[in-house]
Amino acid sequence: MMFLLILLGVLLNAAAQLLLKAGMNQIGHFDFSFANVWPIALKVMANPPIITGLVAYVVSVVVWLLVLSRVQVSYAYPMLSIGYIVNAVLAYYLFGESLSAMRISGIFVIIAGVYLVSRT
């Protein structure tokens, strides 16, 4: 049961990252300068995927606090690595990001690490 709570927190965090990326894709590239701080800030504050992503982050923090109140941080924290896997795979499908052989190899290393940590 605790693993499911950890997984929920990780998936909410991953969803937040993907939503923030989707929102920034809508806004597009911008040069960070004093002159465009407010125009960009207003676009960010009015962007539904960004707002939803920030809400997902807040909920993930609440879930994570529940997790940390129940399990050792040395067990829970490595499980956050599952988010790397989820984000890499979904970014490939949703945003057309690269998923090279090196990244896939890294994903398998992460899977092995999460498995080993979960067995202890």
Side-chain angles (χ1 to χ4, degrees), residues 28-109:
H29 176 80
F30 63 92
D31 293 322
F32 191 76
S33 68
F34 188 72
N36 68 4
V37 167
W38 285 111
I40 296 301
L42 292 174
K43 285 182 181 180
V44 166
M45 289 187 286
N47 187 281
I50 291 176
I51 293 167
T52 307
L54 292 174
V55 169
Y57 260 136
V58 170
V59 175
S60 77
V61 168
V62 171
V63 170
W64 197 247
L65 291 173
L66 288 170
V67 167
L68 292 177
S69 74
R70 290 167 171 77
V71 300
Q72 296 176 352
V73 72
S74 62
Y75 172 80
Y77 192 70
M79 297 299 165
L80 291 176
S81 300
I82 295 169
Y84 298 134
I85 300 164
V86 171
N87 276 331
V89 172
L90 289 179
Y92 172 80
Y93 287 108
L94 297 174
F95 306 122
E97 293 186 7
S98 172
L99 199 54
S100 66
M102 186 68 77
R103 288 187 184 180
I104 292 170
S105 298
I107 287 170
F108 282 113
V109 169

